[in-house]
Structures are given as structure tokens and as C-alpha cells.
Amino acid sequence: MSQIDHNKFCANIDKPATVRDLVFFLLSPALPPDAGATLFVSSPIPGKWQFLCGISNASPTAKGFILWNEEEAELLKRPEAVLQFGISIEPISNVMQLVQSNTQVRDNYQMFAKGVALEIYNYLSSFAKTTPQGELVVFEAKDIDRWFQKFQEKYTLDPDFIWKLLRRQA
């Protein structure tokens, strides 16, 4: 990690296509009482930074969830790609304002949940049968287990498959 200003630090991560989340934490109350720290990640598109999360002595851990658009995801797969993350020490009021206004994390989890629901809906739709009452989806409990096993296999092969499914639906 290199210091680039009196309150800013930066580090690089090689092979960034494998990075999905960053956990940000303090080992002990290490910040001045009126300060907090923010974590940003750079996009592979130069000059574009994304706020991930903020911490303070009172709230010493946070998780930043990274969501790349399709262009960024492709750029990160290149062998020469490097991901930068930056840490900025700020007045606690600035950190709290950034954290409170950052709806991206909540939206990302909500979109991921939507993708999982869409994945199971698509799978269970294959069990649809036309009856005199209309189209019904009839399945056994083991079918849910089978879906979950397939979901885990897909996720192991490609943790981004849900995001790709959502992009195809858009």
C-alpha cells in the first residue's frame, strides 16, 4: 500500500477478475475519534472510482460489494489488468454521509436476489403443465434440491452467471 497524499492510500490487486468483494476493517481503534475511513475501487475505465464502504472506530468493519458492468468485466479479464483500491481518511461526518447515501450495496444485493429468483423461476417453469384449470407448475420437493445443486455447480464455474442472466433479461 502506498501513501499518495497525507490522508489517501492506494494499492493494486493483480488478476482482478476474481475479486467480487472487499472486506474493510480496523484491527484496533486506530483512527482519530472524529475520523473515519472510506474504501473506493477503481474501474478498469481510467478515472472512474466507485465508493464501496466506510468504517470508523465505532463501526470497524464493512464489506464492499463490487459490481462491474459488462465492459468493465471484459477489461478485467485481460492478463495485464490491475485493480486499484483506495483508502481515504476523512472527517466522520463525510464518511457517514457517504455510507448513508450509498444505496448501491443494497441495490446490488436486491438485484442478486432478483437474479436467483429468476433462475429458480426459469428452472421450475420447465415443470409447467397445461390442465383444464390453466397452466400449472407442479414439482416435487426433490426438484428444489436438484435446482439448488445445479445452482451451486453453475456458481462454482462462474460466480457472475446471475449477473449475466440479469443482463440478458434487461
Side-chain angles (χ1 to χ4, degrees), residues 85-141:
F85 68 92
I87 296 173
S88 180
I89 309 302
E90 305 282 341
I92 192 69
S93 59
N94 292 4
V95 174
M96 297 308 296
Q97 184 178 4
L98 273 171
V99 169
Q100 291 170 356
S101 66
N102 185 27
T103 60
Q104 181 182 354
V105 171
R106 182 181 63 238
D107 292 347
N108 287 348
Y109 284 116
Q110 187 176 23
M111 285 300 295
F112 187 83
K114 179 181 176 182
V116 172
L118 183 60
E119 170 71 12
I120 195 167
Y121 174 81
N122 290 342
Y123 178 78
L124 293 176
S125 292
S126 68
F127 295 96
K129 296 180 179 12
T130 303
T131 69
Q133 295 83 21
E135 190 170 80
L136 297 176
V137 177
V138 180
F139 58 91
E140 298 177 34

Side-chain angles (χ1 to χ4, degrees), residues 18-26 37-41 50-56 59-67 99 102-109 112 155 163:
T18 60
V19 177
R20 307 266 183 295
D21 310 304
L22 289 174
V23 177
F24 191 32
F25 59 92
L26 292 173
T38 54
L39 178 65
F40 292 84
V41 66
Q50 179 184 146
F51 171 73
L52 293 179
C53 57
I55 58 174
S56 65
S59 182
T61 61
K63 182 178 180 181
F65 184 79
I66 304 170
L67 177 62
V99 169
N102 185 27
T103 60
Q104 181 182 354
V105 171
R106 182 181 63 238
D107 292 347
N108 287 348
Y109 284 116
F112 187 83
Y155 190 83
W163 300 113

Side-chain angles (χ1 to χ4, degrees), residues 140-167:
E140 298 177 34
K142 68 180 180 177
D143 295 324
I144 297 288
D145 292 334
R146 198 172 310 131
W147 166 80
F148 189 64
Q149 183 178 9
K150 286 183 178 192
F151 179 88
Q152 288 178 310
E153 289 167 4
K154 286 180 185 178
Y155 190 83
T156 299
L157 290 173
D158 182 7
D160 286 330
F161 88 96
I162 288 293
W163 300 113
K164 291 174 184 173
L165 173 68
L166 287 168
R167 283 193 286 269

